[in-house]
Amino acid sequence: MVNETPKLDIQNLGVSYADKVALRDISLSIEQNEIFGIIGPAQSGKTTLLKVLNRTIDLVTDASVKGSFSMDDRLILDAPVNTAAGKLGKTGVSDVYGYRRYIGMVAPLPVGLPMSIYDNVAFAPRQAGMKKKEALDELVERCLTQSALWDEVKDRLNTLGTKLSGGQQQRLTIARALSHEPEVLCLDEFSIAIDPVTTMRIEDVLKELKEKMTIILVTNLVQQARRLAKHTAFIFNGDLVEVDETEKMFSGEAADQRTNDFIAGTFG
């Protein structure tokens, strides 16, 4: 896939955990304001790729990273990086913690903060300096609406977020990620704890959100990638098998037979 002005450009990325290779020589570009799908069997390196993109890989003590990636032509990661030795490559941003505000991350299983629903969403904006109640109220409502949760919780915003059901907590996690107003939103199998009806509601929201941000969707539901993604990458055992237009890939025209087999459910 060729794009002259990609939102994210990844070149020759490799990641190892101690002596175990997680990703090998990954190169791909992700366009501005697209939903980009990533599919592949478990333990293929999909989540590791997301960790590199939002620099939480820095927190993994035995991780070793090589290669580079940039966002909007700003260099974010430059080889070599070895977090075990505490060495980081050059970065196009002066503050890694600040950079992570631009990359929202939603994990497969919800991790709620031990505070109210309202405060779960308002926490990061408050830390960034937003103090006016009117502005916080508007932001909380918007983020909960975007995550298809507002109608269910609007009358109990002071309830502990951890008291919500699993599916509701997952949507609260999405709302919290949106509160950063990220430029890129990474979703790592977000629907694993959500019922099919709510999943479809959130998918509709994602179609709207891509007008404002770039979305990277790691999914174990291959048809979800087909419904949402403009382009899809297939990663298998740490290798990028191929990346192409989603509809082409899902119409039996994938360049690699392993991609066709995975999409058809022959393995994985």
Side-chain angles (χ1 to χ4, degrees):
M1 179 178 62
V2 178
N3 191 300
E4 294 183 358
T5 56
K7 181 67 178 179
L8 293 169
D9 186 51
I10 302 162
Q11 294 296 324
N12 307 117
L13 180 68
V15 181
S16 298
Y17 298 114
D19 296 327
K20 182 180 179 181
V21 176
L23 290 173
R24 300 180 191 83
D25 198 28
I26 304 294
S27 295
L28 57 86
S29 295
I30 299 174
E31 295 179 4
Q32 301 269 358
N33 300 105
E34 78 161 312
I35 299 178
F36 185 91
I38 302 177
I39 60 174
Q43 307 300 316
S44 286
K46 306 184 298 297
T47 298
T48 292
L49 178 57
L50 297 187
K51 288 180 178 178
V52 171
L53 294 182
N54 84 333
R55 291 292 299 268
T56 53
I57 195 72
D58 299 14
L59 307 176
V60 182
T61 56
D62 64 347
S64 178
V65 184
K66 62 181 181 179
S68 66
F69 82 88
S70 59
M71 183 172 72
D72 297 328
D73 290 328
R74 292 173 290 173
L75 190 62
I76 305 301
L77 182 73
D78 189 20
V81 172
N82 188 322
T83 58
K87 298 177 181 178
L88 297 178
K90 296 177 182 178
T91 177
V93 290
S94 60
D95 177 8
V96 172
Y97 296 100
Y99 161 74
R100 292 187 185 120
R101 292 178 54 196
Y102 296 100
I103 308 287
M105 176 72 80
V106 177
L109 295 176
V111 181
L113 300 176
M115 55 184 65
S116 71
I117 296 168
Y118 184 100
D119 289 340
N120 260 270
V121 182
F123 179 79
R126 281 176 174 147
Q127 294 297 307
M130 183 181 291
K131 302 299 182 183
K132 291 185 178 179
K133 187 178 186 303
E134 295 82 0
L136 287 168
D137 288 348
E138 180 182 345
L139 181 141
V140 168
E141 180 175 351
R142 181 175 73 249
C143 293
L144 289 172
T145 299
Q146 289 173 336
S147 60
L149 187 57
W150 173 254
D151 288 341
E152 298 173 32
V153 302
K154 60 184 179 182
D155 296 324
R156 50 185 177 125
L157 294 176
N158 291 325
T159 302
L160 276 174
T162 51
K163 296 293 185 180
L164 296 173
S165 69
Q168 289 173 325
Q169 287 191 53
Q170 181 65 302
R171 283 178 281 158
L172 181 60
T173 302
I174 294 174
R176 199 165 66 234
L178 293 174
S179 74
H180 297 261
E181 298 185 335
E183 295 182 16
V184 178
L185 179 64
C186 298
L187 299 169
D188 191 0
E189 298 186 10
F190 78 90
S191 57
I192 193 170
I194 302 178
D195 64 90
V197 173
T198 303
T199 294
M200 296 301 292
R201 289 169 61 194
I202 295 177
E203 287 184 9
D204 288 339
V205 168
L206 295 179
K207 294 173 185 176
E208 297 177 6
L209 286 176
K210 76 179 180 67
E211 301 301 321
K212 302 177 181 178
M213 64 187 68
T214 298
I215 298 171
I216 304 174
L217 175 68
V218 168
T219 179
N220 60 349
L221 305 174
V222 292
Q223 293 304 317
Q224 185 175 71
R226 185 174 195 175
R227 290 192 298 269
L228 295 175
K230 181 179 180 181
H231 297 92
T232 295
F234 175 49
I235 298 179
F236 180 55
N237 286 344
D239 295 311
L240 177 62
V241 176
E242 64 181 295
V243 56
D244 209 334
E245 295 179 0
T246 300
E247 195 53 42
K248 178 180 178 182
M249 186 180 290
F250 277 75
S251 297
E253 300 179 33
D256 193 293
Q257 186 58 39
R258 289 173 295 177
T259 308
N260 289 321
D261 290 343
F262 180 77
I263 290 173
T266 302
F267 73 97

